[in-house]
Amino acid sequence: MKLPWTKLANVTTDGSPNLTGKHVGLLKRIQDKVNEENPEQDVIFLHCIIHQESLCKSVLQLNHSFFTKVTTIQESSLKASYAVSLELAKAKKPLSDGKIVKRCAVEMAKAFGDDNMAKNFETISLSRRTVTRRIFDIQNHVEVKLKEVMHDCKYFSLALDESMDVMDVSQLLIYARAIDSSFEVHEELLKLVALHDTTKGRDIFNAVQSVVSEYGGFDKLSAVVTDGAPSMQGKHTGFAGLLQQSGVDCPILHCIIHQEALCAKSMNFSHVMDLVTKVTNLIRGGNRSLNHKTFVAFLDEVSAVYGDLQMHTEVRWMSRGKRLERFFALLAEIPVFLEDSIRCDTSAYCSKLRDTEFLFDMAFLADISSHLNHLNMQLQGRSQTVSDLYAHVNAFTCASKLTLLIEKLQQQFKNRFQDFYAMKPRIVLFTDPLSAAVSAQPPELQLQLCELQSDPFFQAKRQERGISFWRLLPESPFPLLRDFALSMAGIFGSTYICESNFSTMKHIKSKERNRLTDETLFHLMQIGCTNIDIQSIVRQQERPQISH
């Protein structure tokens, strides 16, 4: 049955060009057929709604992919900006070096023929002001994390030390060693406080109190270790005395490394050191560059053990020992050089360097100094507990090592380490609770200690010592013992962490960068000694911007 064209009301198609073309499409032909029978009739042509929805989705996906790509570039550029800023801070480089890093990155990309990557590098913002803002953002992130650590910790101890920077401003370092209930230890820089006026005990106490109050106060404080200066250790007007007067009752220790260095200075062998100093200065001191060059060439010619002598300074802990070690190793070469190459009269020095009794004294002093240097190296380093440091000192002062040492040195160790010897029962209990004498411990710990020592499970764990053992201890049967272990594990034993960061400070605030503000110096130092997740900082930025 053939239907008339005039009955056709509308036509629906998929929208393809061969159907909907205005000049040669199928719909054009249909309209012509209808108009042959009824010139005034118009046919309604519809585009399938399902096909139109599909096309709309395609357009939306295309637009979304475009904006996603732009956003991804912005986020990557922002992340790179933070990453470079962090690396500049950790490397102690000027913040203006960001521009140099950017230019180098662009040139490297161009050298590899990757123009797209070069354009991406161009979008990274690394101007001096931008890098400064990045540093402030990173430090704010670190401060938030640090407050969380201090809030969650069970105990913390403080390490305090003070030193002058390149502009003669007294800088007070305040470090915290915090420990949580799972025995995770965090050693973090709380604050670098610039003391522009006096550095009395009251000034130090006010600075420390102000900083610690921002992190919850002294309630969780288990100990304080200082550099031993009178303004720190003074019992009445020093920091220690003012802290105890404020109601804080905790051990206040003198840094064990400083005490060891003071003990080493007690050995009176000035006749040896004076001659060593005079001979060394005669060879390489002052304006004797020609003597020094000749001496170095002479040592190289005879294939000596060392290629030069070492100068001495009282500031460096191990300077004397290393200097004596080299001088004693070159005893065969030094008199020969003095007689052949030095114009002035050196006969007195040469005869002394060949005197048997004098050589015995020098050998003894060199040997003792090398042992003291070895002890000093053992006491250095981060993440050491007070029991670890006490064990090193105790091993050095035991009879097997001190039978050959002078009595004065032994007495110095006994006198100077009184604060650590007073903690001996606590240190023994923390180090090896299964062998500690129950009667020597506080009454409140004795019952739980008896139960611990009689438990067969823990007897099988005798090889575990210190924190490794206490992590195995459940809290419910032994709450007091576990609390004791947490307080001991959180104690600093030395100010090594402060001393090492003063070296960092002198690199950051150098003669070339002496106009750094106190705030920026603190930010750079705190960032330099902290592990930081850049991605979490980038996520906090609402609208990342790129460089044009």
Side-chain angles (χ1 to χ4, degrees), residues 221-442:
L221 184 64
S222 60
V224 179
V225 60
T226 73
D227 59 0
S231 58
M232 292 282 192
Q233 294 291 106
K235 294 183 178 180
H236 301 290
T237 58
F239 167 80
L242 294 173
L243 183 65
Q244 292 177 345
Q245 292 171 23
S246 67
V248 179
D249 184 18
C250 69
I252 301 176
L253 308 174
H254 183 181
C255 170
I256 197 169
I257 303 179
H258 283 80
Q259 295 192 72
E260 185 272 342
L262 291 172
C263 289
K265 290 182 179 179
S266 67
M267 295 185 298
N268 188 13
F269 278 77
S270 58
H271 65 291
V272 174
M273 290 304 300
D274 288 347
L275 186 134
V276 170
T277 301
K278 290 177 181 178
V279 172
T280 303
N281 289 339
L282 192 63
I283 294 174
R284 60 168 300 179
N287 296 321
R288 296 179 173 85
S289 57
L290 179 59
N291 288 347
H292 185 208
K293 289 188 290 185
T294 308
F295 181 67
V296 172
F298 170 70
L299 294 180
D300 183 61
E301 181 181 349
V302 298
S303 301
V305 179
Y306 292 104
D308 199 0
L309 288 175
Q310 195 168 20
M311 301 297 284
H312 172 57
T313 173
E314 289 291 338
V315 177
R316 299 186 182 276
W317 290 327
M318 296 182 289
S319 173
R320 181 173 67 172
K322 291 184 176 181
R323 181 189 189 187
L324 282 171
E325 179 186 355
R326 287 201 177 196
F327 196 97
F328 190 77
L330 298 174
L331 272 179
E333 292 81 8
I334 291 174
V336 175
F337 179 78
L338 293 178
E339 293 172 342
D340 296 344
S341 302
I342 302 298
R343 294 180 180 179
C344 62
D345 184 16
T346 58
S347 57
Y349 299 143
C350 294
S351 61
K352 203 70 174 174
L353 292 175
R354 293 188 175 102
D355 181 67
T356 305
E357 186 176 349
F358 179 82
L359 293 179
F360 281 158
D361 289 345
M362 182 183 291
F364 177 72
L365 184 60
D367 187 50
I368 296 305
S369 298
S370 67
H371 284 295
L372 288 168
N373 281 358
H374 179 67
L375 173 61
N376 194 291
M377 288 295 296
Q378 288 180 315
L379 297 177
Q380 295 183 38
R382 299 182 63 163
S383 302
Q384 292 200 77
T385 63
V386 66
S387 61
D388 296 331
L389 300 176
Y390 176 82
H392 296 319
V393 173
N394 195 45
F396 182 82
T397 55
C398 69
S400 60
K401 283 192 175 183
L402 281 175
T403 50
L404 299 178
L405 297 183
I406 55 178
E407 293 182 359
K408 186 176 180 180
L409 179 61
Q410 187 176 14
Q411 190 61 39
Q412 281 287 326
F413 270 85
K414 288 182 179 179
N415 294 339
R416 289 199 173 276
F417 291 97
Q418 287 298 320
D419 45 0
F420 287 92
Y421 288 137
M423 297 177 62
K424 183 176 179 179
R426 299 173 63 188
I427 293 174
V428 171
L429 176 59
F430 178 77
T431 305
D432 189 8
L434 298 178
S435 302
V438 176
S439 58
Q441 306 308 322

Side-chain angles (χ1 to χ4, degrees), residues 169 185 221 358 408 449 453 462 469:
V169 176
V185 178
L221 184 64
F358 179 82
K408 186 176 180 180
L449 184 58
Q453 292 181 350
R462 277 187 173 273
F469 176 86

Side-chain angles (χ1 to χ4, degrees), residues 17 29 97 116 156 202 208 232 234 296 307 355 372 398 452 484 489:
R29 296 176 183 177
D97 283 0
N116 290 332
F156 71 92
R202 173 62 64 179
V208 174
M232 292 282 192
V296 172
D355 181 67
L372 288 168
C398 69
L452 176 65
F484 157 79

